[in-house]
Amino acid sequence: MSSTRERILDRARELAERSDGEPLNMSATAAAAGISRQALYLHFPDRASLLLALVEYTDDHEDLAAGVAKVQAAPTGTAKLRSFLEMQASRN
């Protein structure tokens, strides 16, 4: 992943986490990443592409796959539920 793309995703994540439910804005994301809106559109052709990439990026950085594997490996339904709740609480 290019350093610019990673910087965009880092700043988009920060903006999303700080927002009060407001939609992620391409102009604000570009400004936060220190690039022009046109440069942002070179990496992400639309907001939907940015949001999808942001979900994948966040899942990778928070190691969602390991959390899901732990839930699946739990021996009982109760243990699976407990493992899932622990994973979700740590992600929140």
Side-chain angles (χ1 to χ4, degrees):
M1 176 180 310
S2 77
S3 61
T4 301
R5 184 178 174 90
E6 190 165 354
R7 187 172 72 244
I8 292 166
L9 292 170
D10 281 336
R11 297 300 93 75
R13 183 175 177 185
E14 290 169 4
L15 289 172
E17 288 174 350
R18 286 192 318 228
S19 79
D20 291 328
E22 294 296 317
L24 192 59
N25 179 297
M26 295 294 272
S27 295
T29 302
I35 60 173
S36 68
R37 248 182 39 166
Q38 292 79 10
L40 177 62
Y41 282 106
L42 292 174
H43 292 273
F44 302 99
D46 52 38
R47 193 165 77 79
S49 299
L50 173 62
L51 293 174
L52 288 172
L54 181 57
V55 168
E56 291 175 0
Y57 180 76
T58 300
D59 287 350
D60 287 346
H61 275 71
E62 293 186 4
D63 204 6
L64 178 63
V68 170
K70 185 177 177 185
V71 171
Q72 292 173 336
T76 66
T78 303
K80 286 181 188 302
L81 180 59
R82 180 172 285 117
S83 181
F84 173 78
L85 292 174
E86 288 170 357
M87 177 185 70
Q88 191 59 44
S90 71
R91 291 175 65 86
N92 287 348

